[in-house]
C-alpha cells in the first residue's frame, strides 16, 4: 500500500524507487494542481478502504505523504473541477457500494473539506462533469448501473447540488460519453448498456432536460464507447467495441434523426475485440480504426472512406491475446505505426505502416517470461526525437521501457519493479514534476498502491 517514485536520469533509466503510502485497492486517479503551487499533485480513489488519497507534489519528483479523506463505500471513479466558483479545484467521487457521490471542496492549499454526499441510483459506475443546463455552473452526470438510468445533479455554483434527476437508459449502463451529437450547441449523453446490448442517446434540450432516450442496438456486451466524426459531415458518430460478438458497431450521426442504424464491422469469429485506436493510417485524411482481437491473436484495420463506410478488415498477426494498442510514428517516415501488448505471449508487437495503408509483419520484443503485459503507451522518454514505448507487465509487476532509435529498431532498458504481487493494471503518462520529461503513474491492483516513475534531466 504505497506509491513508488523512480527519478529518471533523462536517458531512459531510473533510480531506485521511493515509496509513498496509498489506501487499499486504488482504482481511479486524477492528476492536477490542487494547492496552486504550479506543481502537479495526485488524488487516488481507494476502493477497499472508502477513502481518497491526496499526494501533493513538490515539483522535483517527490511528494508529501498522503492525506486521506473519507468517501462513501467502494469508490470507483473520481473527477476534479471547480464546483463552487472559488477558483479552487474540488473532487467528486462515485461510490459504488452505497449509491452516492461524494463532493470534497478544495481550499487551494491541497487540503479538502469533509465530504458532502448526494444519493444516486444503485451501483454508480462512472462520473463525468459538464454544464447541461447552460447556466455556466458545472453539473455532475452519473451512470447508475443498478437502476438502469443516468443521474444528473445540477450545480448551483456555490458547491451545492440539486437532488438527482434521473433519465432512463438501457439495462446496466457501464460507460458513457458526453458531446454535442446533433450540432445544436447543447451537450448530449451517450451510454453503453452492457445488460441489453444497446447504446442510449439522450439529446440535451439546453435547460437541463433531455429528450426520451433513443436506443440503438449494438453487438453483444458493448465494452467501450467513443465519439468521433467518421464520415466528414461535422457530426459526431458513435463507436462501440462489442466484446462478446466479435464486431465493432458504428452509428453515424444524421440530420434530425440523431443516428442511423448501426454499421457493423466484423472482426471475425471468436475475435473478442478488447480495445481500438482511431487514426489516419493510410494518409487519405480519413479516420480509420485499428482493433485488437484478443481471441484470434491479430490486429484488424478498417480503412474509412470518409462517408461513414469502411473497407473490410485487414488483419495482421500479433502475439497471443493482444490486449492494448497504441499508435505513433516509430521510424520517422510520417506514417503511423502500431504497437500492441500481447498478454498471452509475454511480448509487444510493432507493425510498421506503409503509405498505402498496409503494415509490415510484426516485429516482436519480449517483455519477460510470464510478464503478461496489460497496457502499452508511447512517448519521448530519453530526450531524443524518437518515439519510445512503455509497457506495464501484470505478471512480473514491473514497467518496461523500449527506447526507439527512429529507424524501426528498439532497445529494451532494465525493467523497473513495482513490488512483489503488485499486479499493475493501468498506466498514465504525463510530466509530473515540471521538468519537461514524461513520467509514469501506475495503478496496482494487487498491492493497493499507486507508483510514480519520474524522469528528470
Amino acid at each position: 500500500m504505497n506509491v513508488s517514485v523512480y527519478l529518471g536520469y533523462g536517458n531512459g533509466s531510473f533510480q531506485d524507487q521511493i515509496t509513498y503510502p496509498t489506501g487499499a485497492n486504488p482504482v481511479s486517479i486524477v492528476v492536477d494542481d490542487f494547492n496552486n503551487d504550479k506543481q502537479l499533485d495526485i488524488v487516488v480513489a481507494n476502493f477497499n478502504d472508502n477513502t481518497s488519497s491526496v499526494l501533493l507534489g513538490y515539483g522535483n519528483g517527490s511528494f508529501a505523504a498522503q492525506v486521506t479523506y473519507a468517501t462513501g463505500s467502494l469508490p470507483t471513479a473520481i473527477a476534479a473541477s471547480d464546483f463552487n466558483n472559488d477558483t479552487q479545484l474540488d473532487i467528486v467521487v462515485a461510490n459504488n457500494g452505497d449509491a452516492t457521490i461524494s463532493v470534497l471542496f478544495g481550499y487551494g492549499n491541497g487540503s479538502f473539506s469533509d465530504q458532502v454526499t448526494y444519493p444516486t441510483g444503485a451501483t454508480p459506475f462512472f462520473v463525468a462533469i459538464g454544464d447541461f443546463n447552460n447556466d455556466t455552473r458545472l453539473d455532475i452526470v452519473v451512470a447508475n448501473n443498478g437502476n438502469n438510468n443516468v443521474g444528473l445533479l445540477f450545480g448551483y455554483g456555490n458547491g451545492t447540488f440539486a437532488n438527482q434527476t434521473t433519465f432512463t437508459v438501457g439495462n446496466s449502463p457501464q460507460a458513457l460519453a458526453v458531446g454535442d451529437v446533433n450540432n445544436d450547441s447543447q451537450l448530449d449523453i451517450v451510454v453503453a448498456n452492457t445488460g441489453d446490448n444497446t447504446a442510449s442517446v439522450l439529446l440535451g434540450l439546453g435547460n437541463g432536460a433531455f429528450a426520451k432516450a433513443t436506443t440503438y442496438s449494438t453487438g453483444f456486451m458493448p465494452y467501450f464507447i467513443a465519439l468521433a466524426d467518421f464520415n466528414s459531415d461535422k457530426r459526431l458518430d458513435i463507436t462501440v467495441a462489442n466484446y462478446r460478438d466479435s464486431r465493432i458497431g458504428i452509428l453515424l450521426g444524421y440530420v434530425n434523426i440523431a443516428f442511423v442504424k448501426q454499421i457493423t464491422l466484423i472482426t471475425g469469429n471468436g475475435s473478442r475485440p478488447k480495445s481500438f485506436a482511431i487514426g489516419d493510417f493510410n494518409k487519405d485524411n480519413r479516420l480509420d480504426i485499428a482493433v485488437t482481437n484478443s481471441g484470434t491473436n491479430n490486429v484488424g484495420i478498417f480503412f474509412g472512406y470518409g462517408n461513414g463506410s469502411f473497407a473490410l478488415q485487414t488483419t495482421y498477426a500479433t502475439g497471443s491475446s493482444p490486449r492494448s494498442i497504441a499508435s505513433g510514428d516509430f521510424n520517422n517516415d510520417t506514417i503511423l505505426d502500431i504497437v500492441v501488448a500481447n498478454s498471452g505471449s509475454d511480448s509487444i508487437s510493432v507493425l510498421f505502416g506503409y503509405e498505402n495503408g498496409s503494415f509490415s509483419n510484426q516485429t516482436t520484443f519480449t517483455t519477460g517470461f510470464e510478464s503478461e503485459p496489460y497496457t502499452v503507451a508511447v512517448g519521448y522518454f530519453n530526450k531524443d526525437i524518437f518515439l519510445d514505448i512503455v509497457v506495464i507487465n501484470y505478471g512480473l509487476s514491473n514497467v518496461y521501457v523500449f527506447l526507439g532509435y527512429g529507424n524501426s529498431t528498439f532497445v529494451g532498458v532494465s525493467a523497473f519493479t513495482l513490488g512483489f504481487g503488485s499486479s499493475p493494471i493501468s498506466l498514465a503518462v504525463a510530466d509530473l514534476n515540471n521538468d519537461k520529461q514524461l513520467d509514469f503513474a501506475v495503478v496496482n491492483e494487487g498491492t493497493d498502491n499507486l507508483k510514480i516513475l519520474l524522469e528528470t534531466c
Side-chain angles (χ1 to χ4, degrees):
M1 295 188 290
N2 55 61
V3 173
S4 292
V5 177
Y6 295 76
L7 297 176
Y9 292 117
N11 60 358
S13 62
F14 294 80
Q15 294 179 12
D16 291 337
Q17 64 179 332
I18 305 169
T19 61
Y20 300 87
T22 67
N25 194 13
V27 294
S28 184
I29 181 176
V30 62
V31 176
D32 215 316
D33 178 11
F34 293 101
N35 61 344
N36 291 314
D37 63 355
K38 299 183 180 179
Q39 317 300 337
L40 287 178
D41 312 307
I42 297 170
V43 180
V44 180
N46 302 306
F47 183 81
N48 279 352
D49 63 4
N50 306 327
T51 64
S52 289
S53 296
V54 179
L55 297 92
L56 298 178
Y58 293 125
N60 60 358
S62 63
F63 290 80
Q66 71 166 336
V67 177
T68 59
Y69 295 87
T71 66
S73 175
L74 306 181
T76 56
I78 190 169
S81 197
D82 177 13
F83 297 118
N84 56 351
N85 287 322
D86 63 354
T87 71
Q88 312 302 336
L89 284 176
D90 311 310
I91 298 169
V92 59
V93 181
N95 303 303
N96 188 269
D98 60 9
T100 65
I101 61 169
S102 298
V103 179
L104 295 87
F105 297 105
Y107 294 123
N109 60 358
S111 64
F112 291 83
S113 67
D114 291 338
Q115 65 174 325
V116 178
T117 61
Y118 295 87
T120 67
T123 56
F125 262 50
F126 192 91
V127 62
I129 299 165
D131 178 11
F132 296 99
N133 57 350
N134 288 321
D135 62 356
T136 71
R137 300 163 181 170
L138 288 177
D139 313 309
I140 297 170
V141 57
V142 183
N144 295 313
N145 184 274
N147 288 136
N148 303 331
N149 64 40
V150 167
L152 273 174
L153 294 89
F154 295 104
Y156 293 124
N158 60 359
T160 62
F161 292 83
N163 291 332
Q164 173 183 240
T165 301
T166 60
F167 300 89
T168 300
V169 293
N171 188 8
S172 301
Q174 178 82 13
L176 62 84
V178 173
D180 178 12
V181 300
N182 60 343
N183 285 346
D184 63 355
S185 300
Q186 313 300 335
L187 280 181
D188 311 309
I189 301 170
V190 183
V191 185
N193 306 302
T194 59
D196 59 9
N197 308 317
T198 64
S200 296
V201 178
L202 294 161
L203 295 178
L205 303 180
N207 59 357
F210 288 79
K212 182 180 179 180
T214 303
T215 300
Y216 300 89
S217 293
T218 65
F220 187 40
M221 196 175 174
Y223 192 83
F224 184 79
I225 191 167
L227 298 173
D229 178 11
F230 290 107
N231 57 347
S232 303
D233 63 355
K234 298 183 180 180
R235 296 179 181 274
L236 290 175
D237 311 311
I238 299 172
T239 312
V240 182
N242 302 303
Y243 179 74
R244 288 292 181 87
D245 70 354
S246 303
R247 61 179 177 171
I248 291 174
I250 297 176
L251 296 94
L252 297 176
Y254 198 70
V255 179
N256 299 325
I257 296 179
F259 292 91
V260 299
K261 185 178 179 181
Q262 176 181 222
I263 298 169
T264 57
L265 306 179
I266 305 301
T267 54
N269 290 334
S271 56
R272 295 190 177 183
K274 277 204 167 177
S275 64
F276 56 78
I278 297 171
D280 179 10
F281 295 108
N282 58 349
K283 301 191 73 173
D284 63 355
N285 296 315
R286 300 164 181 170
L287 288 179
D288 312 309
I289 299 172
V291 57
T292 56
N293 297 315
S294 63
T296 49
N297 304 327
N298 58 40
V299 167
I301 310 295
F302 295 91
F303 293 109
Y305 293 126
N307 60 0
S309 63
F310 289 79
L312 295 177
Q313 175 182 236
T314 302
T315 60
Y316 297 87
T318 65
S320 175
S321 300
R323 183 181 182 93
S324 174
I325 187 170
S327 64
D329 179 11
F330 298 119
N331 55 353
N332 287 330
D333 62 357
T334 73
I335 301 168
L336 285 178
D337 311 309
I338 293 171
V339 59
V340 178
N342 304 304
S343 61
S345 57
D346 303 330
S347 66
I348 60 170
S349 297
V350 179
L351 295 88
F352 297 101
Y354 301 123
E355 194 163 6
N356 61 359
S358 64
F359 288 82
S360 67
N361 292 332
Q362 66 174 324
T363 302
T364 59
F365 300 88
T366 182
T367 53
F369 180 64
E370 295 186 349
S371 55
E372 197 175 350
Y374 253 45
T375 304
V376 65
V378 301
Y380 298 93
F381 300 118
N382 61 341
K383 299 175 66 175
D384 61 14
I385 61 171
F386 308 127
L387 266 182
D388 310 311
I389 299 170
V390 58
V391 59
I392 56 172
N393 295 313
Y394 183 88
L396 290 182
S397 301
N398 66 22
V399 175
Y400 205 90
V401 178
F402 294 88
L403 299 179
Y405 289 128
N407 60 357
S408 303
T409 62
F410 293 83
V411 60
V413 299
S414 298
F416 308 108
T417 183
L418 300 171
F420 177 76
S422 57
S423 303
I425 59 172
S426 183
L427 169 72
V429 176
D431 177 10
L432 297 177
N433 58 347
N434 288 325
D435 62 355
K436 299 182 180 179
Q437 308 297 332
L438 288 177
D439 312 308
F440 314 137
V442 182
V443 170
N444 302 287
E445 180 182 61
T447 50
D448 304 331
N449 59 35
L450 168 75
K451 294 183 184 286
I452 310 298
L453 296 86
L454 295 172
E455 184 175 16
T456 60
C457 295

